[in-house]
Amino acid sequence: MSQVAHSARTLRSAALAGLVTLTVLLSGCAGLPGYPAATDTPVAQLVAGVDCQAPNLNNNGMVFPDGVSAQTDLTATHPDAPAPGMVPTGFEPVAAHRCTFYGSVDDAEGRWSAVTVETRTGDFNALLAALAEPNDQPGLNQACTADMEIVPELWLEDAAGEALRAAWPRTACGKTKPATAKALELLELTDSTVLPLVLQIGREALDAGCAMSTSTPELSLLFGVASLQTDSGEVGEDLQPIPVSPVEIPSYAGVDGASVCFYTVDPAAEPEPNDGIDEMLGGMMSLQFGTFDSATTLAADAAALLPAAASALQAPTCTTDPTRFAVLWPERAGSRLDTAILVELDGCQRLVLPGRHALVPAPALLATLTA
């Protein structure tokens, strides 16, 4: 899957999350995504060792692109973890491992998504009793709160090194019962380590302060002059673009440098089944994104061209899509300004400022960026 498909999928997931929340408020939560109806739990399968880097454990709100190489996706070299289950009779744990998928870790390659693994030891009687509790069954028209619980993975390990993935007993709303978390806190924390999962930002982009993926200038043009109406209309009714006040353009006076991030436009993604979500969002998902290619800096003489960008001529109508573009972050006295300037390096070769129409870039600036 391309980076643009990943980006579009992430935006679409956020929209779906909003719809799920509204549905929860209207009809209760039992059986909805994130609020599974409580059912009988099978006995856990024993495996040879704990694995918090298994690829099927990254489902607590973390979205990773498909098809990335093993060099940048360390989970790809691990087998799937077994399904969570109840602790089998006779299993005697000597350690509990709680895996929390949150945060990141940096190394020479860049910034990785990460999992924090806490190891706890001690008297396991309270934890085993808590894990043996049955799931509560939802009642008719069960009413539940609409908050989404992020549940860590829990592994138990015995003296022989065999391990199991434990299931957290659930309430009627699919939330974890508090006894398990309380019993875990009673155990002694003996180790905590952070393990890398998937490379999110390469070292060059990280050092330059560049995102690995960003929207094309066309998206900035769209949302600089319009937004989606969200404060009126019935659920399911088409959302219409409405005018918004122009964004105030910052002053570029005194700019003495700029960092530049170069992007290659991703091929257009194949549309996914969306049950009308794309239409509801006004086609936002069809817009393209760019993947980080390289980075550089502008010296003071080239950066001196940027103040004129605020008063540049409006670009003529053009529909030629770019294949490459640059995101410029002006700097003043060593501090990066909050507002970026986007320049299409081919195609229409437009310059885009927030809240403004497409402008004609200074020829000297365009020449510097395309050299």
Side-chain angles (χ1 to χ4, degrees):
M1 178 180 294
S2 69
Q3 188 69 36
V4 60
H6 167 50
S7 302
R9 184 180 64 184
T10 303
L11 289 172
R12 180 173 174 271
S13 298
L16 285 172
L19 293 181
V20 168
T21 299
L22 181 57
T23 306
V24 168
L25 292 172
L26 294 176
S27 60
C29 60
L32 289 174
Y35 302 89
T39 57
D40 292 335
T41 305
V43 175
Q45 173 188 347
L46 294 180
V47 294
V50 174
D51 188 2
C52 291
Q53 293 171 293
N56 60 329
L57 301 184
N58 303 330
N59 54 6
N60 284 337
M62 300 182 71
V63 181
F64 301 136
D66 298 330
V68 296
S69 67
Q71 286 73 32
T72 55
D73 180 2
L74 300 184
T75 70
T77 61
H78 293 245
D80 281 350
M86 297 187 66
V87 180
T89 302
F91 184 82
E92 298 181 355
V94 296
H97 306 270
R98 179 165 55 186
C99 315
T100 304
F101 294 89
Y102 180 78
S104 60
V105 61
D106 293 359
D107 65 9
E109 293 185 68
R111 177 164 295 163
W112 302 75
S113 59
V115 55
T116 299
V117 184
E118 291 183 352
T119 300
R120 293 178 178 270
T121 59
D123 186 344
F124 282 86
N125 288 331
L127 180 58
L128 292 175
L131 291 173
E133 290 186 17
N135 292 324
D136 296 337
Q137 299 301 314
L140 183 65
N141 295 325
Q142 177 75 49
C144 303
T145 57
D147 54 305
M148 188 74 73
E149 182 182 20
I150 303 300
V151 182
E153 295 292 338
L154 178 60
W155 292 79
L156 300 181
E157 184 180 20
D158 67 11
E162 288 193 307
L164 60 87
R165 184 181 169 202
W168 297 68
R170 304 281 180 156
T171 67
C173 286
K175 307 290 183 65
T176 58
K177 292 186 173 183
T180 301
K182 290 179 180 178
L184 271 173
E185 294 303 320
L186 294 176
L187 297 173
E188 180 184 0
L189 177 63
T190 56
D191 186 55
S192 180
T193 185
V194 179
L195 301 176
L197 296 172
V198 178
L199 186 65
Q200 299 290 291
I201 307 177
R203 173 50 60 185
E204 183 181 6
L206 186 62
D207 290 343
C210 300
M212 287 298 291
S213 177
T214 191
S215 58
T216 61
E218 190 67 30
L219 186 61
S220 296
L221 285 173
L222 175 62
F223 290 99
V225 298
S227 67
L228 294 177
Q229 181 175 323
T230 58
D231 57 352
S232 64
E234 300 296 328
V235 175
E237 186 175 298
D238 289 342
L239 299 177
Q240 301 298 323
I242 58 175
V244 295
S245 301
V247 177
E248 182 179 353
I249 303 301
S251 170
Y252 295 114
V255 165
D256 53 12
S259 56
V260 184
C261 309
F262 293 101
Y263 295 88
T264 300
V265 177
D266 300 317
E270 292 295 327
E272 298 180 4
N274 53 40
D275 300 325
I277 295 298
D278 282 8
E279 289 77 8
M280 186 186 71
L281 293 177
M284 180 177 67
M285 305 309 173
S286 64
L287 295 173
Q288 290 182 278
F289 292 78
T291 296
F292 175 79
D293 178 74
S294 60
T296 189
T297 58
L298 293 184
D301 55 344
L305 300 170
L306 298 180
S311 58
L313 296 175
Q314 184 170 328
T317 302
C318 178
T319 58
T320 305
D321 293 330
T323 64
R324 297 182 68 242
F325 64 95
V327 178
L328 287 70
W329 293 96
E331 299 175 356
R332 185 186 295 119
S335 296
R336 175 183 283 192
L337 303 187
D338 293 334
T339 305
I341 299 172
L342 286 75
V343 179
E344 297 172 333
L345 302 181
D346 55 15
C348 297
Q349 293 189 319
R350 300 171 298 180
L351 181 148
V352 177
L353 293 171
R356 293 287 298 271
H357 298 290
L359 306 175
V360 177
L365 176 60
L366 188 60
T368 298
L369 295 174
T370 56

